[in-house]
Amino acid sequence: MLVLGIETSCDETSAAVVDENRIRSNIIATQQVHIKYGGVVPEFASRAHVKQLQHIVELALREADCALNNINGIAVTYGPGLAGSLLVGLCFAKGLALRLKIPFIGINHLEGHILATAANEPKQEYPYICLVASGGHTLLVYVAKPLVYEVIGSTIDDAAGEAFDKVAKILGLGYPGGPAVEKAARLGNELAVHFPRALLEPDNLNFSFSGLKTSVLYYVQSLSKDQLITQVNDISASFQKSVSDVLAAKAILAATKYDCKRLILAGGVARNNHLRETFEKTCKNQAIAFAVPSPELCTDNAGMIARAGLMRLAKGEHSDYTLDVFPNLALKT
Ligand code: KG4
Ligand code: ZN
């Protein structure tokens, strides 16, 4: 079975082909048009998807060494995300499915992130806890069996990736913020400034990052321009440590509470090496098996969407042509 995946929920235009065992191709084009605006401009994102989606799909088919006629089903993100961007992918998928007379299925982008580790290793052990840390979401999910999710914690304000992006802006590190903060942090002392760690009460599985961001803002405002230049790496490292400490503590708390011996870290923030190392160390100490997708499968990509689609299509599920985009789609329990 070959499934074509399409992902256009934000500023990555991506197409992938998966079979039952692995990803055959996963083409990801990160739109450059937003850089000079310091964040994603929704209308420009939709236009860029329209312009390049067909070409990206052709590249994905070529790299997978297959023709359109070999594809058995299409998986496409229908939410959450930017309405116009989602619409480009969904319309394209519907049109192609109609022409090829094959089923298509709308996939929740968050399920895609959860299944990113499964993209190249479909046989996973259950149950597990998955922490999805992305630009729009920070979720703790209990996964008892394939395709069944229970959200057990989430952020009450900013997402972890959003905090990285806002702190990068405060520090003048530009966009995209996560990689820029990580780069600066590599040269800094993570113990230089003690930033707060929120909601660490023993029973609380929710997150809060807006106080941390404000604390970085106040700290920066207390510095002169010259002081900021000399301290930017230390502030980045101290902020990154604060986020890593909280995410790891909460994930371990969830694993303990739900008696899970397996933990998966996913979403764009999971690209962060400091965070990956913190999780590795903490899980080892607690005798919990840890898994994290390869970096390109952490940030938005169609490989994870195609895997989710293949798993659902194989169960006999599919969507019908009345399916619409759902910008605020939640993860179904
Ligand atoms: O999953 P993703 O590609 O898109 C959403 O679904 O939101 O995540 C993007 C987020 C951005 O906030 C970005 O700053 C963050 O992931 N990110 C990182 C790193 N790479 C991307 N955060 C920290 N360190 C990184 N290396
Ligand atoms: Zn995402």
Side-chain angles (χ1 to χ4, degrees):
M1 186 175 189
L2 289 179
V3 170
L4 172 70
I6 293 171
E7 157 62 41
T8 61
S9 67
C10 193
D11 61 337
E12 263 90 25
T13 311
S14 181
V17 176
V18 300
D19 61 26
E20 284 92 343
N21 301 312
R22 65 180 179 96
I23 293 181
R24 295 240 186 139
S25 64
N26 194 10
I27 309 292
I28 305 158
T30 302
Q31 301 172 357
Q32 303 299 311
V33 58
H34 311 286
I35 292 175
K36 61 174 180 276
Y37 300 97
V40 178
V41 183
E43 181 56 28
F44 290 164
S46 329
R47 290 185 204 182
H49 288 309
V50 170
K51 220 170 161 181
Q52 57 192 5
L53 181 56
Q54 180 168 343
H55 178 57
I56 299 293
V57 168
E58 284 166 4
L59 287 179
L61 291 167
R62 198 179 311 158
E63 199 176 300
D65 206 13
C66 70
L68 264 182
N69 289 340
N70 304 127
I71 297 293
N72 306 105
I74 300 176
V76 59
T77 307
Y78 76 107
L82 302 170
S85 291
L86 291 165
L87 207 51
V88 176
L90 183 60
C91 289
F92 188 96
K94 281 183 186 176
L96 199 53
L98 200 60
R99 182 188 137 198
L100 296 172
K101 299 190 177 65
I102 56 175
F104 86 97
I105 184 151
I107 295 294
N108 185 317
H109 180 77
L110 296 166
E111 175 172 60
H113 277 303
I114 294 169
L115 294 176
T117 27
N120 273 316
E121 285 169 64
K123 286 194 186 76
Q124 295 282 311
E125 272 173 44
Y126 296 86
Y128 62 81
I129 298 287
C130 182
L131 171 66
V132 181
S134 69
H137 297 84
T138 305
L139 286 182
L140 272 169
V141 184
Y142 175 63
V143 187
K145 51 185 180 177
L147 309 177
V148 178
Y149 310 104
E150 184 185 347
V151 177
I152 57 173
S154 61
T155 182
I156 59 169
D157 41 54
D158 293 349
E162 193 179 354
F164 267 95
D165 295 334
K166 286 178 176 170
V167 163
K169 218 170 216 174
I170 293 168
L171 295 175
L173 293 174
Y175 169 88
V181 171
E182 180 173 10
K183 191 170 168 213
R186 252 181 249 135
L187 304 168
N189 171 9
E190 63 181 24
L191 301 175
V193 193
H194 185 81
F195 289 122
R197 284 132 176 86
L199 309 183
L200 282 184
E201 307 83 31
D203 223 25
N204 194 337
L205 291 177
N206 288 330
F207 304 85
S208 166
F209 293 106
S210 85
L212 169 60
K213 168 203 66 193
T214 308
S215 170
V216 174
L217 177 68
Y218 287 166
Y219 187 82
V220 167
Q221 283 173 344
S222 75
L223 302 175
S224 68
K225 253 192 183 152
D226 288 345
Q227 283 174 320
L228 177 58
I229 290 168
T230 55
Q231 288 192 39
V232 72
N233 296 337
D234 287 349
I235 299 170
S236 299
S238 303
F239 160 78
Q240 183 177 264
K241 178 166 167 50
S242 172
V243 175
S244 299
D245 285 352
V246 171
L247 292 179
K250 296 275 180 183
I252 294 292
L253 177 62
T256 312
K257 223 174 148 179
Y258 283 78
D259 199 19
C260 267
K261 287 284 163 216
R262 187 152 192 264
L263 194 57
I264 292 180
L265 175 63
V269 183
R271 275 189 97 114
N272 186 284
N273 286 302
H274 183 275
L275 182 65
R276 293 165 87 98
E277 284 159 19
T278 305
F279 266 72
E280 254 158 40
K281 260 186 252 158
T282 319
C283 288
K284 202 169 174 194
N285 287 342
Q286 305 280 334
I288 291 173
F290 172 61
V292 62
S294 59
E296 70 282 3
L297 290 175
C298 290
T299 32
D300 293 347
N301 70 90
M304 65 187 194
I305 302 301
R307 173 60 60 216
L310 189 144
M311 287 169 74
R312 290 197 175 274
L313 288 165
K315 275 179 63 189
E317 292 180 31
H318 66 90
S319 300
D320 67 49
Y321 287 93
T322 59
L323 182 73
D324 203 352
V325 298
F326 204 146
N328 296 319
L329 183 65
L331 190 65
K332 242 191 256 152
T333 296

